[in-house]
Amino acid sequence: MEVINHIAALKVSLRSARLAQQKIALVPTMGALHKGHVSLVKKAQELADIVVCSIFVNPTQFTDPKDLEKYPRPLEHDIRMLEQAGCDFVFMPSVTEMYPEPENWHIDLGPAEFLLEGEFRKGHYQGVTQIVKKLFDAVNPDLAFFGQKDYQQVLMIKNMVNYFHLPVELVSCPIIREEDGLAMSSRNIHLTAEERVQALALSRSLYYISDHFDEIKIPQLLENARKLVRDTPGVELDYLTIADGDTLLPVDEQSGKSGLVALIAAKVGQTRLIDNIILN
């Protein structure tokens, strides 16, 4: 496995694969890797010949400077995980490599940009799409792999790809969970033992919605699920909604609807977590 820090060197390293018409996959990450990330690498290996995993904590997508500061960066651990997973290249650029000069970035990501996470983290998805476009330009991948846990993020990146007419196929991979149901996240490291138990309220509420989706009307279903979360000490609910999977607009009845997703965000102690579940 080769670790590369510069765009020019990455392009040189990928040249032979491209000339041989091998399929190149990109798995973009911000590091602090867990089994969820490894599952993306494994899926990429199934569908492509060469797998590039990027590790870059992108400053432009953080709406809170303290959040950027405390974001975990266990690089040795991450590189070891990727080596064991059989990744081909790790692209680990500096901030100055990706942002050599100040940039104004703003594109039309559609109305969904301002819903849910967009409401709580204004400008977040502009920063996300800015760095993903830069990574796509650096790697020029045939396929790019993202986790379903960041459902809205995948939707925004899809809109960015359509905006620029980029020739890359996006692959969204299922959420990987701990045995007790907690969605794996780089932020889980910040949870105390007590908060770790409290955090189960997120997945528990989603499973409740999924299990009772066909028998309880959506308004009552959401009310019951929100109560589950609010009754859990130490958990502060930001939102819990059932939405159209393409627009993220809320829906209030099951009949005739398909492609629905339940999405939740909550603070557990000082750590903000998100999760979702595809309903039908």
Side-chain angles (χ1 to χ4, degrees):
M1 187 178 78
E2 196 177 337
V3 179
I4 300 173
N5 305 114
H6 300 284
I7 295 169
L10 180 65
K11 288 183 179 294
V12 169
S13 292
L14 293 175
R15 191 177 293 154
S16 59
R18 191 155 281 116
L19 287 171
Q21 295 189 314
Q22 290 182 302
K23 275 195 173 180
I24 297 171
L26 171 65
V27 179
T29 82
M30 293 210 301
L33 304 184
H34 49 70
K35 288 177 186 171
H37 296 106
V38 172
S39 75
L40 298 181
V41 172
K42 293 297 184 188
K43 189 66 180 173
Q45 288 168 334
E46 287 176 27
L47 300 179
D49 304 297
I50 301 290
V51 178
V52 181
C53 184
S54 63
I55 298 176
F56 182 70
V57 182
N58 175 45
T60 69
Q61 70 190 65
F62 284 84
T63 51
D64 179 355
K66 287 179 186 169
D67 202 14
L68 171 61
E69 198 179 301
K70 71 176 186 181
Y71 197 87
R73 295 168 170 86
L75 291 179
E76 284 181 21
H77 159 270
D78 291 347
I79 287 170
R80 195 163 56 248
M81 276 191 87
L82 291 174
E83 213 157 26
Q84 289 168 356
C87 184
D88 299 296
F89 296 98
V90 180
F91 180 47
M92 214 161 57
S94 65
V95 173
T96 50
E97 180 71 13
M98 299 311 287
Y99 297 99
E101 52 193 42
E103 266 180 39
N104 287 320
W105 169 278
H106 191 276
I107 64 170
D108 181 6
L109 293 170
E113 179 191 352
F114 307 105
L115 304 173
L116 305 178
E117 288 302 290
E119 193 178 330
F120 283 87
R121 305 169 73 188
K122 291 186 179 6
H124 172 66
Y125 290 118
Q126 291 296 329
V128 168
T129 52
Q130 180 183 25
I131 190 58
V132 172
K133 173 67 163 59
K134 284 175 172 289
L135 291 169
F136 284 177
D137 289 346
V139 178
N140 192 18
D142 299 287
L143 305 119
F145 294 76
F146 299 90
Q148 181 202 310
K149 189 177 75 68
D150 294 298
Y151 187 94
Q152 189 171 5
Q153 175 175 284
V154 177
L155 192 60
M156 294 298 98
I157 292 167
K158 193 184 296 180
N159 291 352
M160 183 271 287
V161 164
N162 292 337
Y163 182 90
F164 288 109
H165 305 290
L166 301 178
V168 58
E169 181 185 340
L170 303 184
V171 182
S172 178
C173 300
I175 296 172
I176 303 298
R177 298 183 180 276
E178 304 286 358
E179 282 184 22
D180 56 12
L182 183 69
M184 290 189 180
S185 167
S186 303
R187 296 175 186 270
N188 292 350
I189 196 172
H190 297 306
L191 299 170
T192 66
E194 185 182 12
E195 289 166 352
R196 172 73 180 65
V197 175
Q198 293 166 343
L200 295 175
L202 278 78
S203 55
R204 201 181 300 129
S205 67
L206 293 175
Y207 285 134
Y208 173 83
I209 288 171
S210 179
D211 290 345
H212 298 87
F213 187 70
D214 293 326
E215 60 201 56
I216 303 175
K217 290 189 182 297
I218 285 177
Q220 185 64 52
L221 192 59
L222 284 171
E223 191 179 319
N224 297 350
R226 286 169 184 152
K227 187 176 186 307
L228 258 175
V229 180
R230 291 188 175 121
D231 285 352
T232 306
V235 181
E236 185 186 325
L237 184 65
D238 280 346
Y239 61 78
L240 173 54
T241 186
I242 295 173
D244 180 291
D246 293 322
T247 66
L248 297 185
L249 291 170
V251 297
D252 55 12
E253 60 178 47
Q254 287 97 328
S255 62
K257 303 283 186 183
S258 62
L260 301 185
V261 58
L263 305 105
I264 186 171
K267 273 186 88 172
V268 183
Q270 296 301 307
T271 306
R272 191 167 182 280
L273 301 175
I274 61 172
D275 199 351
N276 67 77
I277 194 165
I278 308 281
L279 294 172
N280 53 356

